[in-house]
Amino acid sequence: MPVPPLSRARRLRRLALSALLAAFCAQGARADQTDRIVFDFSLRGITAGQLAINGEIKGNAYSASGVLKTSGFLGAIRTLRYDAQVSGRYAQGRFTPTRMDETAQRGNERVEYVMLYRNGVPAGVTRNPPRQPRESDVDPAAQGGTIDPLTALYAVLRDVDRGEACRFSAYMFDGSKRSQVTLSEPVATGNGVSCSGEYRRIAGFSEREMREKPRFPFTLTYAPTPDGQRLRVVSIDTDTILGKGRLIRR
């Protein structure tokens, strides 16, 4: 017996709804991930440091810890080390931090920072030992929608689906300065992808820093993960104040 038109329409709607639900569930399962990211950094071809990040996305939450430290020739000249941890919410590809802790070691100087967020706005920034506010400091209350530097690094360097590669732009706030990082112009390179990026200083920087270099272009290169299912950043070529720098993934 032929199916009445109304019943056929209902069946089509049910099939469409089932397909949408299946896609949604698949995306939710795909969102959970754990990343171990380690890069060696060289400056003008000379070993200069290491960047290591452990990150996790689970459901609607994310967390990350990271270490940036000097090594090699640069480490022999000056000891620099930054340890940071961040946690927050993750939804529809967007990271919203809720707390960031950082310890900066510069030679014999040790400084601790804590930044708390309320509804995506930095609600409290503390520094130990404290310092006198500078005229160039940016007001945290006006930085709604920004992310911290560690969150930005994890968002850029984590493994992604091919369609997500080179598709990131965010404003950052580190407690006193506002900046922006943007990826664009994806180009297929064999099985991988490369794209242009830019880090831009916006506010909170001194006049000397803005004259010195307000924009830092860089290039990301992605390659397939070992299972071939996703892409990961394997190298970064960037401008620095001290010349050309390169990060290579271990």
Side-chain angles (χ1 to χ4, degrees):
M1 178 182 296
V3 178
L6 183 59
S7 298
R8 188 181 298 114
R10 285 175 178 170
R11 284 189 177 186
L12 289 173
R13 282 199 299 270
R14 283 199 297 269
L15 287 172
L17 180 59
S18 297
L20 286 172
L21 288 172
F24 178 80
C25 292
Q27 288 174 359
R30 178 60 122 175
D32 287 0
Q33 68 180 87
T34 300
D35 296 273
R36 170 62 176 166
I37 304 162
V38 181
F39 281 88
D40 290 316
F41 175 59
S42 62
L43 188 62
R44 296 180 179 176
I46 300 173
T47 300
Q50 184 185 97
L51 170 66
I53 298 173
N54 288 318
E56 181 182 51
I57 298 173
K58 191 170 184 180
N60 293 324
Y62 81 95
S63 61
S65 61
V67 178
L68 174 63
K69 61 182 180 180
T70 55
S71 64
F73 178 73
L74 184 59
I77 297 175
R78 188 178 183 187
T79 300
L80 296 173
R81 180 179 174 122
Y82 298 88
D83 293 79
Q85 300 83 39
V86 64
S87 58
R89 300 185 303 275
Y90 177 80
Q92 297 180 340
R94 182 176 179 179
F95 294 85
T96 303
T98 55
R99 179 183 177 116
M100 189 278 293
D101 296 77
E102 180 186 298
T103 300
Q105 186 79 36
R106 307 181 187 97
N108 295 323
E109 180 187 20
R110 179 185 174 91
V111 181
E112 297 176 349
Y113 301 87
V114 177
M115 189 153 51
L116 301 176
Y117 294 77
R118 185 178 296 116
N119 298 323
V121 180
V125 180
T126 59
R127 182 186 190 274
N128 184 33
R131 68 164 173 81
Q132 286 294 112
R134 297 173 182 148
E135 187 177 342
S136 60
D137 287 350
V138 175
D139 180 12
Q143 301 309 306
T146 60
I147 60 177
D148 62 279
L150 177 57
T151 295
L153 281 170
Y154 179 50
V156 170
L157 299 179
R158 69 189 179 98
D159 294 352
V160 296
D161 292 333
R162 182 172 290 269
E164 294 181 73
C166 304
R167 300 185 184 280
F168 182 79
S169 180
Y171 289 97
M172 294 184 293
F173 178 65
D174 68 359
S176 61
K177 302 179 181 69
R178 180 183 176 92
S179 56
Q180 183 183 27
V181 61
T182 304
L183 304 181
S184 61
E185 302 177 10
V187 177
T189 55
N191 292 328
V193 175
S194 70
C195 59
S196 299
E198 182 184 74
Y199 167 79
R200 181 166 65 96
R201 292 170 168 173
I202 296 177
F205 297 89
S206 67
E207 292 183 5
R208 179 185 62 79
E209 288 173 319
M210 294 302 289
R211 287 196 307 269
E212 184 178 57
K213 198 169 180 64
R215 297 171 182 268
F216 296 79
F218 59 88
T219 301
L220 293 184
T221 301
Y222 294 82
T225 54
D227 62 9
Q229 298 298 308
R230 309 189 88 190
L231 292 179
R232 65 174 40 164
V233 179
V234 293
S235 68
I236 307 169
D237 294 279
T238 181
D239 279 356
T240 76
I241 294 171
L242 301 177
K244 296 292 184 181
R246 182 168 187 148
L247 290 92
I248 298 293
R249 189 166 189 149
R250 286 191 177 184

